[in-house]
Amino acid sequence: MTVVLIYLAVGALAGLSAGLFGVGGGLVIVPALIYCFALQGVSSLVAVQLAVGTSLASIVFTSVSSVRAHQRHGNVDWPTWRLLAPGIAIGVVGGVALAASLPGERLKLVFGIFALLIAAQMAFGLSPSADRQLPARPQTLLAGGFIGFLSALFGIGGGSLTVPFLTWCNVKMQRAVATSAACGLPIAIVGALTNIIAGYGHSALPAWSSGFVYWPALLAIILCSTPCAKLGANLAQKLPARRLKQGFALFLLAVGSHFIYGAL
């Protein structure tokens, strides 16, 4: 029961952070699940991969809700999505394959470095200037592959990568955010399925796992993340955005530093 309550809290925190900061809950879910799995005694051989795979599976449900909301306002740029999605799907398969092959401590080190980079971006408001148009199909396909690869490696929905890329290409912020949410669907669906396949039959997996997806955690996260995302979005309208992002950056700084220190 204690573990279930922790998973519910993880889902609530992930949804709240997504609504408040506009950053996918994967940056909260992955480190929280790694900690929870350690408490449960899950083998270190699979704990990080299980956290990443479960995070991607949870994003399937939050992405559907998010895309529906954005689509009601007509903000999803579906032609751009069609250019990015094939590359994203291919990149996701590569990212899952690499994550499955890395030792857990090495994967934690890579995640820690990524968390520090996102922390710096949020704390200092770093973003590329909008000084170019969306590139031709081959380059856009390649960009999608890069986004999908890193998203699958870290168990995130890709918003922290897709939004800067689209705004750099002169896509208006509202459309960039909405299209990024739509890009989270192929990341999450392909990522979840590939993680199930990649981890299938692994001897170190706990009960109630399908490959690198752990169902008790997934169901608890889904239950709380969507309503808390709506709450976070409402709070974001009332609280100072810059202070919020700096606060979340401090959280990522602590998580990233802890993972890097533990892996070295």
Side-chain angles (χ1 to χ4, degrees):
M1 180 57 69
T2 301
V3 173
V4 171
L5 290 175
I6 292 173
Y7 288 143
L8 290 170
V10 170
L13 185 60
L16 194 64
S17 68
L20 275 173
F21 310 116
V23 175
L27 286 168
V28 172
I29 293 171
V30 172
L33 287 185
I34 291 172
Y35 175 73
C36 290
F37 292 154
L39 289 179
Q40 283 182 256
V42 174
S43 171
S44 60
L45 294 174
V46 297
V48 183
Q49 288 85 350
L50 200 62
V52 169
T54 304
S55 174
L56 287 170
S58 73
I59 292 168
V60 173
F61 300 89
T62 54
S63 288
V64 169
S65 175
S66 179
V67 171
R68 289 177 63 187
H70 285 298
Q71 181 60 21
R72 280 198 295 269
H73 294 93
N75 285 329
V76 180
D77 187 340
W78 290 111
T80 298
W81 181 87
R82 284 191 286 270
L83 288 174
L84 286 168
I88 284 173
I90 295 169
V92 166
V93 174
V96 172
L98 178 60
S101 67
L102 286 175
E105 292 303 310
R106 185 68 58 84
L107 190 53
K108 285 172 68 174
L109 174 63
V110 176
F111 184 92
I113 293 170
F114 180 73
L116 292 185
L117 292 174
I118 299 300
Q121 189 274 329
M122 294 189 72
F124 301 109
L126 304 176
S127 60
S129 57
D131 59 1
R132 59 171 297 163
Q133 300 301 312
L134 199 70
R137 179 180 290 271
Q139 289 88 348
T140 304
L141 191 71
L142 186 62
F146 181 73
I147 291 168
F149 178 81
L150 291 182
S151 298
L153 189 60
F154 302 127
I156 62 174
S160 55
L161 303 169
T162 312
V163 172
F165 170 72
L166 292 176
T167 53
W168 179 47
C169 296
N170 269 304
V171 177
K172 292 182 179 179
M173 179 56 73
Q174 282 184 323
R175 292 183 71 80
V177 171
T179 306
S180 172
C183 287
L185 275 174
I187 290 171
I189 293 171
V190 177
L193 292 174
T194 310
N195 269 290
I196 289 172
I197 295 168
Y200 183 78
H202 199 296
S203 59
L205 288 171
W208 305 104
S209 297
S210 295
F212 292 134
V213 173
Y214 184 59
W215 287 100
L218 174 60
L219 295 175
I221 289 168
I222 292 168
L223 187 64
C224 289
S225 61
T226 300
C228 287
K230 293 177 182 177
L231 174 62
N234 291 331
L235 287 174
Q237 305 302 314
K238 303 172 184 178
L239 300 174
R242 181 167 177 79
R243 293 296 184 191
L244 286 172
K245 289 197 172 184
Q246 287 175 339
F248 192 60
L250 287 175
F251 165 76
L252 292 178
L253 176 64
V255 169
S257 300
H258 175 72
F259 277 11
I260 290 170
Y261 178 78
L264 294 178

